[in-house]
Amino acid sequence: MDNRQALGSWLSGPRAAAEEAGVDFGYRGEQLGLPEEGPGSIARPGRRLGALAVDWGLSLLIAYGLITQSYNDAAQIWAPLIMFALMVLTVGTVGFTPGKRLFGLRVLALETGRVSPWRSALRTVLLFLAIPALIWDRDGRGLHDRLAGTVEVRI
């Protein structure tokens, strides 16, 4: 291997170097038995963030319009509580929040397909801690999804 090839593999990262060596990583969700594209495939990060932004905006709107008359109180105290309740109740019953539904996403349990309220509560608590949601595996699932045994897919 000459210097240019070594420098190129360093710049492109370890995944590109491994793929060049012949390692097959497959597509996201392949290990879970999900399709590569279309309905039932792993949800992409952009859709997930968009759904989270819609849910946060809805929670903030509810907190500001129905509970407080101050944006600071609504954003600091009530909106996170409303969002927590919204996520636990809606994901635990129908499998999606209003934002997820708007973006065509659904949360499924890997074993049964239906998310129980306890599993939804665990997933939401871990999501609110933020660090588990920022650590992703090869399939694109956050640590909060792995620990709760769930996966977020496209509808």
Side-chain angles (χ1 to χ4, degrees), residues 32 34 40 90-96 105-117 119-120 123 141 145 148-155:
L32 303 172
L34 301 174
T90 57
V91 171
T93 55
V94 293
F96 48 80
L105 303 176
R106 184 179 180 130
V107 179
L108 300 173
L110 287 175
E111 299 87 27
T112 61
R114 187 167 178 94
V115 180
S116 68
R119 195 177 295 246
S120 174
R123 182 183 187 275
R141 289 192 315 158
D145 276 328
T150 59
V151 62
E152 196 165 347
V153 297
R154 293 176 55 194
I155 296 177

Side-chain angles (χ1 to χ4, degrees), residues 13-81:
R15 182 180 178 114
E19 287 174 346
E20 189 177 301
V23 176
D24 180 27
F25 287 105
Y27 61 87
R28 295 163 51 134
E30 184 176 18
Q31 292 179 334
L32 303 172
L34 301 174
E36 185 173 3
E37 304 250 343
S41 65
I42 294 280
R44 300 289 184 218
R47 286 181 182 225
R48 290 179 182 181
L49 288 174
L52 191 62
V54 167
D55 291 334
W56 175 252
L58 181 63
S59 300
L60 195 57
L61 185 66
I62 292 169
Y64 182 72
L66 298 178
I67 300 173
T68 70
Q69 296 303 317
S70 165
Y71 176 78
N72 288 337
D73 290 341
Q76 292 176 4
I77 299 168
W78 292 104
L81 294 175

